[in-house]
Amino acid sequence: MSGDYKSVSRVRARPRLLRILKSDWQLYVILSVPLIWLIIFCYVPMGGIVVAFQNYNIRRGIFRSDWVGLRYIKMFVNSPNFLQLIGNTLSLSVYSLLVGFPMPIILAIALNECRFASIKKTVQTLTYLPYFISTVVLISIMSQIFHLRFGVFNVLRNSLGMESVDIMGKASLFRHLYVWSGIWQGMGFEAVLYIAALTNISTEIKEAAIIDGANRFQCMINVDLPGILPTIIIMLILSVGNLMSVGFEKAYLMQNPGNLRQSELISTYIYKLGLEQAQYSFSTAVSLFNSATNFVLILTCNLIVRKLGGSGLW
Amino acid sequence: MVKKSRRRFEIADVSYLTVVWLIIIISSLMVLLPILHVLAASFSSSEAVIRGVYLWPRDFCLDGYTAVFQNSKVLRGFVNSVLYTVIGTAFNVVMTICAAYPLARNKLHGRKTIMMLFVFTMLFSGGMIPTYLVVHRLKLVDTFWSMIFPTAINVYLMIIARTFFENTIPNDLYEAAHIDGANDFQLFLYIAIPLSKAICAVLALRYAVQHWNDYYQAVLYIRSDGRQPLQIVLRNIMLATNIDIDSMSAMDVEQYAKLKQLSYLLKYSLIVISTIPMLVLYPFIQKYFIHGVMIGAIKG
């Protein structure tokens, strides 16, 4: 503010704090419970990451466990499954991103071209529905349909004279099942955002393009796509930021001895180490390695977008 | 010349529209077929299901559903899931509104800093084990509250709620009420909350779906059978390929095969039952869900 304010700021420091408290204390009271929650359930666990550098003992707690430095991080990097875990996680997430990311955009553009409002609405409602189905139910449906003996897929194959295939138990099919069931579940939901962005594009630009002789395809490429590009970029950065954090739940639910070679991901490994074998420190070290990589990925991606002239996330 | 190019455009339009319609039809079928199949199978008899039920029930009967409701674990799981969903959602909405409202008031000092504290948790978190250790320390493991407290606020939804408050309640309104002598508590109770029914609906629906479908929290924190939600019960039944050994020794091969078929049918019915609550809500949910996405989109 003004110059003389600065010179007396020391003197005024206390009154200023008091003034803030006097005017805002009721808001702080309302905010206090969420803030306490945030500290206990988000920031204390962040501090708890230090167990990655300790030989953590649950009886002794964080303050009395022995420090071991980078031992567990090194142990993970040198462990025989390090490359396999990283490879499985990355190839699954890159595959999801490459195939799963464009799908909702394609669906949104197709629905946007549909001139029958009732059909558009029905299809939107329908494709949106699987989003409400839980992961457990999704995997259950898959294992019912692809059941080795009774599943409708194999019954159909048998009636056509083909042999039964154990779809769920094949390592080579795990990624396809994972990614395509994800598309099945999320496509309609993610399309909503793009449909919203598409309806915001002014019809005047489109009319001008048609007068200039563009056909509908050219309209889509030159008007619609650039119009939703900012939304696409934001969604892309968010997805890249999630590359390493492939959901634990779905992969864990889909795991069976047959596909473990490809379905063991960093997140499922963390769970097994930490909760099934109670190796808290090692597990946390693996998870720290994972989220650090993730953080770097999202920062890099944001930086690239900003260098290319986009607005980025921040 | 002009006529010729006009024709070419039409052909391009037709082929483009064909692709558009193909995409619409394929994606609708892709969603519809598995759902129809599950419904059809759940209403068939166990013999028919083994022989193959496609999109329409064969030998219509309710065997699957009777078998499901005779299972005490399923009933217990259903009740537990309802409790987790109702109590959890109420808690979520209150916490989220209590965080969103003050952060939407631009008179609040330090609002940006506090907001940053919330947003940072979206980018970086302690992870599974440190969070588990905190819950363990608080002696919450294997209690009802371990399903409620760790997920009390979804920061993304909190931002949506905050944006809603910022956009729907103008600052002038607060100031006018303030001049009339209302304090911040009164502004919150008598102005903000009555005007926030729409956002409360959005939040409640989204949190409810999250709770009902939750598996992660339960697999981390819940140990005892009596507290398991329906998703875990469903999972355990899906994994149980064989029936209890005890009851098996007493029966012959034919009976065993019959039970096995019934257990396959039962899974279909259980899938339907554990999804029904969400699907019944769906028509109501959908409007508000899309509404919620839109509010978020404005922010983006």
Side-chain angles (χ1 to χ4, degrees), chain A:
Chain A
M1 289 184 204
S2 60
D4 65 346
Y5 171 77
K6 248 180 197 168
S7 60
V8 291
S9 65
R10 271 188 158 276
V11 188
R12 283 204 188 164
R14 272 180 74 90
R16 186 174 134 79
L17 191 68
L18 276 179
R19 220 172 50 236
I20 290 175
L21 276 181
K22 203 177 168 211
S23 84
D24 288 359
W25 71 272
Q26 292 178 329
L27 289 179
Y28 287 124
V29 168
I30 299 173
L31 195 55
S32 62
V33 181
L35 261 184
I36 291 170
W37 172 84
L38 187 76
I39 291 165
I40 293 179
F41 286 100
C42 295
Y43 282 91
V44 172
M46 269 185 227
I49 290 177
V50 297
V51 304
F53 308 107
Q54 292 179 330
N55 188 358
Y56 182 76
N57 181 318
I58 203 159
R59 287 215 190 82
R60 296 171 107 190
I62 288 181
F63 297 107
R64 282 183 298 149
S65 293
D66 304 323
W67 291 89
V68 294
L70 293 175
R71 190 214 279 175
Y72 287 107
I73 303 252
K74 280 182 191 153
M75 207 161 120
F76 175 55
V77 175
N78 293 328
S79 76
N81 20 17
F82 176 70
L83 282 180
Q84 193 204 6
L85 286 173
I86 301 267
N88 282 348
T89 309
L90 265 183
S91 47
L92 189 64
S93 52
V94 170
Y95 182 19
S96 297
L97 188 68
L98 288 182
V99 185
F101 188 75
M103 284 295 174
I105 303 175
I106 294 172
L107 179 67
I109 288 174
L111 282 175
N112 190 51
E113 295 289 351
C114 176
R115 292 286 146 87
F116 306 96
S118 61
I119 295 186
K120 184 178 169 183
K121 204 166 170 229
T122 315
V123 173
Q124 212 183 325
T125 311
L126 186 68
T127 50
Y128 198 70
L129 188 131
Y131 183 76
F132 293 90
I133 291 175
S134 73
T135 319
V136 180
V137 168
L138 174 72
I139 308 302
S140 307
I141 293 177
M142 278 159 64
S143 54
Q144 287 292 88
I145 290 177
F146 295 125
H147 192 277
L148 185 57
R149 276 180 60 205
F150 307 141
V152 69
F153 179 79
N154 280 323
V155 169
L156 209 65
R157 274 184 76 97
N158 291 341
S159 67
L160 294 173
M162 289 186 278
E163 273 180 32
S164 301
V165 190
D166 186 13
I167 301 271
M168 297 295 281
K170 273 205 166 162
S172 58
L173 290 176
F174 169 76
R175 276 174 205 152
H176 303 295
L177 279 178
Y178 186 97
V179 169
W180 287 97
S181 61
I183 290 172
W184 183 79
Q185 195 171 24
M187 185 168 72
F189 177 72
E190 283 155 39
V192 171
L193 204 68
Y194 298 113
I195 291 172
L198 278 168
T199 45
N200 283 338
I201 296 172
S202 80
T203 45
E204 285 165 27
I205 306 177
K206 236 177 168 173
E207 278 160 13
I210 290 169
I211 290 170
D212 287 347
N215 62 30
R216 290 181 83 161
F217 180 69
Q218 287 165 331
C219 255
M220 186 270 284
I221 294 284
N222 297 309
V223 179
D224 289 347
L225 267 188
I228 57 170
L229 198 63
T231 316
I232 295 181
I233 287 177
I234 287 180
M235 296 307 284
L236 189 65
I237 301 176
L238 287 175
S239 321
V240 171
N242 284 329
L243 265 187
M244 296 292 281
S245 56
V246 197
F248 148 80
E249 200 174 281
K250 193 167 164 194
Y252 183 70
L253 288 165
M254 282 176 72
Q255 274 181 358
N256 56 43
N259 63 19
L260 206 58
R261 198 154 42 83
Q262 297 223 339
S263 62
E264 188 74 296
L265 308 179
I266 298 182
S267 50
T268 56
Y269 188 62
I270 292 169
Y271 172 78
K272 285 178 191 166
L273 272 181
L275 283 147
E276 286 175 4
Q277 299 171 24
Q279 297 194 40
Y280 299 115
S281 287
F282 191 19
S283 172
T284 309
V286 176
S287 136
L288 177 63
F289 180 87
N290 195 30
S291 30
T293 327
N294 220 344
F295 201 59
V296 172
L297 270 178
I298 198 166
L299 288 183
T300 324
C301 193
N302 199 49
L303 199 75
I304 292 173
V305 170
R306 286 178 74 163
K307 278 267 149 65
L308 290 176
S311 58
L313 276 182
W314 58 83

